[in-house]
Short mmCIF file of all heavy atoms in Angstrom, two decimals:
data_model
loop_
_atom_site.label_atom_id
_atom_site.label_comp_id
_atom_site.label_asym_id
_atom_site.label_seq_id
_atom_site.Cartn_x
_atom_site.Cartn_y
_atom_site.Cartn_z
N ARG A 341 162.17 177.91 48.29
CA ARG A 341 162.62 179.00 49.15
C ARG A 341 163.87 178.62 49.94
O ARG A 341 164.76 179.43 50.14
CB ARG A 341 161.49 179.39 50.10
CG ARG A 341 160.37 180.19 49.42
CD ARG A 341 159.40 180.76 50.45
NE ARG A 341 158.59 179.70 51.04
CZ ARG A 341 157.45 179.25 50.52
NH1 ARG A 341 157.01 179.75 49.36
NH2 ARG A 341 156.75 178.31 51.11
N LEU A 342 163.94 177.36 50.37
CA LEU A 342 165.14 176.91 51.09
C LEU A 342 166.36 176.93 50.18
O LEU A 342 167.44 177.34 50.58
CB LEU A 342 164.91 175.49 51.63
CG LEU A 342 163.98 175.36 52.84
CD1 LEU A 342 163.69 173.90 53.11
CD2 LEU A 342 164.60 176.02 54.06
N PHE A 343 166.17 176.50 48.93
CA PHE A 343 167.28 176.48 47.99
C PHE A 343 167.75 177.91 47.68
O PHE A 343 168.95 178.19 47.63
CB PHE A 343 166.86 175.79 46.69
CG PHE A 343 167.95 175.70 45.66
CD1 PHE A 343 169.06 174.91 45.88
CD2 PHE A 343 167.86 176.43 44.49
CE1 PHE A 343 170.06 174.83 44.93
CE2 PHE A 343 168.86 176.36 43.54
CZ PHE A 343 169.96 175.56 43.76
N SER A 344 166.78 178.82 47.51
CA SER A 344 167.13 180.22 47.28
C SER A 344 167.89 180.80 48.46
O SER A 344 168.85 181.54 48.30
CB SER A 344 165.86 181.02 47.01
OG SER A 344 166.17 182.38 46.84
N SER A 345 167.44 180.45 49.68
CA SER A 345 168.12 180.94 50.88
C SER A 345 169.54 180.42 50.96
O SER A 345 170.46 181.14 51.31
CB SER A 345 167.33 180.51 52.13
OG SER A 345 168.01 180.89 53.30
N TRP A 346 169.73 179.15 50.58
CA TRP A 346 171.09 178.59 50.61
C TRP A 346 172.00 179.31 49.62
O TRP A 346 173.15 179.60 49.91
CB TRP A 346 171.03 177.10 50.26
CG TRP A 346 172.39 176.53 50.01
CD1 TRP A 346 173.35 176.24 50.92
CD2 TRP A 346 172.95 176.20 48.73
NE1 TRP A 346 174.47 175.75 50.30
CE2 TRP A 346 174.25 175.71 48.96
CE3 TRP A 346 172.47 176.26 47.43
CZ2 TRP A 346 175.07 175.29 47.93
CZ3 TRP A 346 173.28 175.83 46.41
CH2 TRP A 346 174.58 175.36 46.66
N LEU A 347 171.47 179.65 48.44
CA LEU A 347 172.27 180.37 47.46
C LEU A 347 172.73 181.71 48.00
O LEU A 347 173.88 182.10 47.82
CB LEU A 347 171.45 180.60 46.18
CG LEU A 347 171.38 179.45 45.17
CD1 LEU A 347 170.51 179.88 44.00
CD2 LEU A 347 172.74 179.03 44.70
N ARG A 348 171.83 182.41 48.69
CA ARG A 348 172.19 183.73 49.19
C ARG A 348 173.22 183.65 50.31
O ARG A 348 174.09 184.50 50.44
CB ARG A 348 170.94 184.48 49.68
CG ARG A 348 170.01 184.92 48.57
CD ARG A 348 169.00 185.93 49.10
NE ARG A 348 168.16 185.37 50.14
CZ ARG A 348 167.00 184.79 49.90
NH1 ARG A 348 166.56 184.67 48.66
NH2 ARG A 348 166.27 184.31 50.88
N GLU A 349 173.10 182.63 51.16
CA GLU A 349 173.97 182.56 52.33
C GLU A 349 175.30 181.89 52.03
O GLU A 349 176.26 182.05 52.76
CB GLU A 349 173.26 181.79 53.45
CG GLU A 349 172.02 182.52 53.98
CD GLU A 349 171.24 181.69 54.97
OE1 GLU A 349 171.70 180.55 55.24
OE2 GLU A 349 170.19 182.14 55.43
N SER A 350 175.35 181.14 50.94
CA SER A 350 176.58 180.40 50.63
C SER A 350 177.68 181.36 50.23
O SER A 350 177.46 182.34 49.52
CB SER A 350 176.33 179.42 49.48
OG SER A 350 177.54 178.84 49.06
N LYS A 351 178.90 181.09 50.67
CA LYS A 351 180.05 181.89 50.26
C LYS A 351 180.63 181.41 48.94
O LYS A 351 181.49 182.03 48.37
CB LYS A 351 181.15 181.83 51.35
CG LYS A 351 180.74 182.53 52.64
CD LYS A 351 181.88 182.54 53.63
CE LYS A 351 181.48 183.26 54.91
NZ LYS A 351 182.56 183.28 55.89
N GLU A 352 180.16 180.27 48.46
CA GLU A 352 180.61 179.76 47.18
C GLU A 352 179.95 180.55 46.06
O GLU A 352 178.86 181.10 46.22
CB GLU A 352 180.25 178.27 47.05
CG GLU A 352 180.86 177.40 48.11
CD GLU A 352 182.36 177.29 47.98
OE1 GLU A 352 182.87 177.57 46.89
OE2 GLU A 352 183.01 176.94 48.95
N PRO A 353 180.58 180.59 44.89
CA PRO A 353 179.99 181.31 43.76
C PRO A 353 178.87 180.49 43.14
O PRO A 353 178.94 180.09 41.98
CB PRO A 353 181.17 181.47 42.81
CG PRO A 353 182.05 180.31 43.11
CD PRO A 353 181.90 180.05 44.59
N ALA A 354 177.81 180.24 43.91
CA ALA A 354 176.76 179.34 43.46
C ALA A 354 176.00 179.89 42.27
O ALA A 354 175.50 179.14 41.44
CB ALA A 354 175.79 179.09 44.62
N PHE A 355 175.92 181.23 42.15
CA PHE A 355 175.14 181.78 41.06
C PHE A 355 175.79 181.51 39.71
O PHE A 355 175.15 181.59 38.68
CB PHE A 355 174.92 183.27 41.25
CG PHE A 355 176.20 184.06 41.36
CD1 PHE A 355 176.83 184.54 40.25
CD2 PHE A 355 176.75 184.31 42.61
CE1 PHE A 355 178.00 185.26 40.36
CE2 PHE A 355 177.91 185.04 42.72
CZ PHE A 355 178.53 185.51 41.59
N SER A 356 177.08 181.19 39.69
CA SER A 356 177.71 180.85 38.41
C SER A 356 177.12 179.55 37.86
O SER A 356 177.02 179.36 36.66
CB SER A 356 179.22 180.70 38.58
OG SER A 356 179.52 179.66 39.49
N ALA A 357 176.74 178.65 38.78
CA ALA A 357 176.08 177.43 38.34
C ALA A 357 174.71 177.73 37.75
O ALA A 357 174.29 177.14 36.75
CB ALA A 357 175.93 176.47 39.51
N ILE A 358 173.99 178.68 38.37
CA ILE A 358 172.69 179.06 37.86
C ILE A 358 172.83 179.67 36.47
O ILE A 358 172.03 179.43 35.58
CB ILE A 358 171.99 180.05 38.81
CG1 ILE A 358 171.86 179.43 40.20
CG2 ILE A 358 170.64 180.45 38.29
CD1 ILE A 358 171.04 178.18 40.24
N LYS A 359 173.87 180.47 36.27
CA LYS A 359 174.10 181.03 34.94
C LYS A 359 174.37 179.93 33.93
O LYS A 359 173.97 180.03 32.78
CB LYS A 359 175.28 182.01 34.98
CG LYS A 359 174.98 183.29 35.75
CD LYS A 359 176.15 184.24 35.75
CE LYS A 359 176.32 184.88 34.38
NZ LYS A 359 177.39 185.88 34.38
N ALA A 360 175.07 178.90 34.36
CA ALA A 360 175.33 177.79 33.46
C ALA A 360 174.02 177.10 33.08
O ALA A 360 173.83 176.68 31.93
CB ALA A 360 176.28 176.79 34.13
N ILE A 361 173.10 176.97 34.05
CA ILE A 361 171.81 176.37 33.79
C ILE A 361 171.07 177.17 32.73
O ILE A 361 170.43 176.63 31.83
CB ILE A 361 170.97 176.32 35.08
CG1 ILE A 361 171.67 175.43 36.10
CG2 ILE A 361 169.57 175.81 34.82
CD1 ILE A 361 171.13 175.62 37.49
N ARG A 362 171.16 178.49 32.84
CA ARG A 362 170.42 179.35 31.94
C ARG A 362 171.14 179.53 30.61
O ARG A 362 170.69 180.27 29.75
CB ARG A 362 170.21 180.71 32.59
CG ARG A 362 169.41 180.63 33.87
CD ARG A 362 169.37 181.96 34.59
NE ARG A 362 168.66 182.96 33.81
CZ ARG A 362 168.47 184.20 34.24
NH1 ARG A 362 168.93 184.57 35.41
NH2 ARG A 362 167.83 185.06 33.50
N GLY A 363 172.29 178.87 30.44
CA GLY A 363 173.02 178.97 29.19
C GLY A 363 173.71 180.31 29.00
O GLY A 363 173.93 180.75 27.89
N GLU A 364 174.07 180.98 30.10
CA GLU A 364 174.65 182.31 30.01
C GLU A 364 176.15 182.32 30.25
O GLU A 364 176.75 183.38 30.31
CB GLU A 364 173.98 183.24 31.03
CG GLU A 364 172.51 183.46 30.76
CD GLU A 364 171.86 184.36 31.80
OE1 GLU A 364 172.58 184.78 32.72
OE2 GLU A 364 170.67 184.61 31.68
N THR A 365 176.76 181.18 30.45
CA THR A 365 178.19 181.17 30.71
C THR A 365 178.96 181.48 29.43
O THR A 365 178.53 181.20 28.33
CB THR A 365 178.64 179.79 31.24
OG1 THR A 365 178.19 178.79 30.34
CG2 THR A 365 178.07 179.54 32.60
N GLU A 366 180.13 182.07 29.60
CA GLU A 366 180.97 182.43 28.49
C GLU A 366 182.29 181.68 28.58
O GLU A 366 182.77 181.40 29.68
CB GLU A 366 181.26 183.93 28.50
CG GLU A 366 180.04 184.80 28.33
CD GLU A 366 180.44 186.27 28.34
OE1 GLU A 366 180.75 186.80 27.27
OE2 GLU A 366 180.44 186.84 29.43
#
Side-chain angles (χ1 to χ4, degrees):
R341 285 189 289 273
L342 286 171
F343 181 67
S344 177
S345 176
W346 169 74
L347 277 180
R348 289 194 298 269
E349 294 173 2
S350 173
K351 292 185 179 180
E352 300 292 340
F355 58 88
S356 61
I358 303 299
K359 290 181 73 176
I361 297 165
R362 299 172 65 179
E364 296 179 359
T365 52
E366 297 180 89

